[in-house]
Amino acid sequence: MKVFLLAVLCLSAHTVVCRLSISGDHFYEGSTRVFLSGVNAAWVYLGTDFGNNQLDSYRLSKYTDYIKQVQSNGGNSIRIFVHDNCETTPDIDSNGITQGPDKSGTLISDLKKILDVAETNNVLVFFALFNGAQKKTDHWKLQGIIADDNKRQKYIEMALQPMVKALGNHKALGGWDIMNEMEGIIKVEAHAGDSCFDTSFLLKSGAGFAGATYSAQDLQRFLNHLANGIKQADSAALITSGSWNPISNTDMFGSQNLYNDSCLRKAGGKQQGVLSFYSTHTYAKADTCQCHYDNISPFHGAGHHKSDYGLDKPLVIAEFSEKKGDGWTASQQFNHAYYYGYAGAWGWQYKQESSDADEDTAAVINAGLQFLKGKTDASNGGTVNFHL
Ligand SMILES: *[C@@H]1O[C@H](CO)[C@@H](O)[C@H](O)[C@H]1NC(C)=O
């Protein structure tokens, strides 16, 4: 009903921008159910692409090329990293206090340039703000935002909300991914008082791989407050936070969904500080000699259906590769996501100079995108190619 009303509004009032929305387990453009088929084009130079006049003609031409390739191969969405470890944005002073989006005042206009190219090509952009998968020298700035209430609030007011207000009405903005793989910096510890904050189920999972620094509650409070800040600035914004493995994003399989609404609210106290959809990453492990997927992976064995995770929101498989795919081709992976209840699939990753062992080349991911090109099956994934 909500979706239908929105569609009517979109057609009748030109001032209303039709944005990606969610109903139940699926995404919609107007009243059309859509499947997010796309790629990570996470960076040209990680942490130094946007703001401070850094989006030069080389970087912009690379992102333009990525977006055009997604479009021409039949994809519709792209995931891009923004602050990473706060190497260059936001503008944080020596006391850890955020002064603005960036020093030179170009962060917002740089992101808008990307969105403008994306809109022309009918591609949706998802901005991943921070990164928990790597702890770098600049991490102390991010540490303040995660763990200090005052510093977090300054980031929200001085950088996050200005970005969200300026970009929230852009048709090509798909949503905000608050932190890539927070499990990299999570502490594995028992918490007898509350299952939301007990991470002992992550023992031996590899969680804490970037340096176990924060309790689950610290990270959940950070997510809750940032999500709340985004919603205050744009009530229709779509929000996720990419989990490193579905193990911490589901209550099934004897696991615990650290991202569920009640846990985020319990940690941070903000009623509207919850995620709009879930997104998770999955790779066959290199450290197991056969390189198999773990048994919770969407691609384990013959593959899990989205319903196996018992989640009450859409689920995007937001990182995966054929290279670490245990014999699954990219086409099979995209196909599985489309037909088995997921709301999207984003291959890792598009950066073509890449020589990282985890990463697929653009050509490999493009074969996966082409597999879903033009699909409109409303009883499975939905429409893949749409006009913004
Ligand atoms: C979220 O997880 C907590 C802790 O396991 C649980 O008590 C609660 O019922 C879950 N909430 C939802 C909405 O699934």
Side-chain angles (χ1 to χ4, degrees):
M1 188 58 177
K2 240 169 140 181
V3 166
F4 176 72
L5 284 175
L6 186 62
V8 172
L9 279 175
C10 292
L11 292 173
S12 59
H14 291 290
T15 48
V16 176
V17 175
C18 283
R19 292 273 315 281
L20 186 71
S21 64
I22 288 173
S23 180
D25 274 355
H26 307 290
F27 291 103
Y28 289 80
E29 277 287 341
S31 59
T32 305
R33 176 173 154 188
V34 299
F35 179 87
L36 298 177
S37 178
V39 307
N40 287 271
W43 57 79
V44 176
Y45 297 112
L46 180 56
T48 63
D49 284 344
F50 308 111
N52 301 327
N53 295 300
Q54 293 174 125
L55 188 69
D56 54 12
S57 56
Y58 176 75
R59 288 172 171 86
L60 184 57
S61 73
K62 295 302 284 183
Y63 280 112
T64 302
D65 174 52
Y66 298 153
I67 289 165
K68 286 187 168 163
Q69 270 198 69
V70 168
Q71 192 277 335
S72 66
N73 286 285
N76 61 24
S77 43
I78 192 165
R79 177 171 178 256
I80 297 175
F81 285 29
V82 179
H83 302 311
D84 190 49
N85 269 233
C86 307
E87 288 94 319
T88 58
T89 70
D91 176 20
I92 294 180
D93 71 13
S94 56
N95 296 316
I97 306 293
T98 302
Q99 303 295 324
D102 64 312
K103 276 201 171 59
S104 319
T106 69
L107 178 60
I108 289 171
S109 56
D110 286 350
L111 298 180
K112 185 171 178 301
K113 282 180 193 164
I114 302 293
L115 291 172
D116 289 345
V117 175
E119 184 179 341
T120 310
N121 289 282
N122 293 309
V123 167
L124 293 164
V125 179
F126 292 79
F127 288 121
L129 296 173
F130 298 104
N131 189 4
Q134 269 184 303
K135 230 173 129 180
K136 303 181 189 167
T137 342
D138 289 290
H139 181 85
W140 66 271
K141 297 182 222 168
L142 175 53
Q143 178 145 17
I145 296 170
I146 294 171
D148 182 303
D149 287 338
N150 178 45
K151 290 173 183 164
R152 185 181 323 110
Q153 189 55 30
K154 282 283 189 257
Y155 167 72
I156 291 169
E157 286 169 16
M158 302 302 290
L160 181 61
Q161 292 183 328
M163 276 195 295
V164 173
K165 279 183 187 149
L167 304 174
N169 263 339
H170 204 295
K171 281 186 200 171
L173 180 70
W176 305 95
D177 179 344
I178 295 177
M179 176 171 273
N180 176 63
E181 303 189 354
M182 71 172 186
E183 295 83 358
I185 48 176
I186 205 168
K187 285 194 272 194
V188 177
E189 57 191 1
H191 192 297
D194 201 312
S195 57
C196 282
F197 310 142
D198 190 321
T199 51
S200 44
F201 71 98
L202 290 173
L203 208 71
K204 294 188 181 152
S205 70
F209 58 88
T213 313
Y214 306 95
S215 68
Q217 188 174 8
D218 283 340
L219 291 162
Q220 288 161 328
R221 185 187 308 106
F222 159 78
L223 296 183
N224 176 255
H225 289 186
L226 267 61
N228 180 63
I230 293 171
K231 289 274 173 65
Q232 283 174 337
D234 173 13
S235 60
L238 300 187
I239 305 170
T240 191
S241 195
S243 60
W244 136 94
N245 182 304
I247 189 174
S248 45
N249 211 160
T250 177
D251 291 324
M252 309 303 273
F253 308 96
S255 211
Q256 168 66 41
N257 182 7
L258 299 177
Y259 299 83
N260 90 13
D261 291 0
S262 44
C263 291
L264 296 191
R265 284 179 180 136
K266 198 175 281 176
K270 308 284 187 199
Q271 182 66 19
Q272 60 173 358
V274 297
L275 305 184
S276 320
F277 67 98
Y278 295 122
S279 57
T280 194
H281 307 167
T282 186
Y283 297 99
K285 283 200 178 69
D287 53 359
T288 57
C289 51
Q290 300 290 320
C291 295
H292 292 320
Y293 282 114
D294 59 58
N295 67 353
I296 306 184
S297 169
F299 303 126
H300 172 72
H304 284 295
H305 192 280
K306 189 265 181 182
S307 60
D308 294 350
Y309 299 97
L311 299 170
D312 57 355
K313 300 177 196 289
L315 177 61
V316 174
I317 309 173
E319 284 190 20
F320 59 92
S321 68
E322 176 179 301
K323 210 167 205 175
K324 287 180 90 175
D326 196 14
W328 290 65
T329 65
S331 302
Q332 290 168 334
Q333 291 168 323
F334 278 88
N335 183 62
H336 183 77
Y338 185 85
Y339 286 103
Y340 285 77
Y342 299 89
W346 296 328
W348 182 267
Q349 76 145 321
Y350 229 14
K351 189 170 154 48
Q352 284 160 40
E353 301 84 349
S354 171
S355 56
D356 188 306
D358 293 358
E359 304 189 346
D360 283 344
T361 62
V364 168
I365 306 176
N366 288 344
L369 296 180
Q370 281 167 20
F371 204 79
L372 298 184
K373 183 175 186 171
K375 287 225 185 312
T376 56
D377 189 342
S379 56
N380 283 294
T383 294
V384 171
N385 301 114
F386 44 81
H387 287 279
L388 291 177

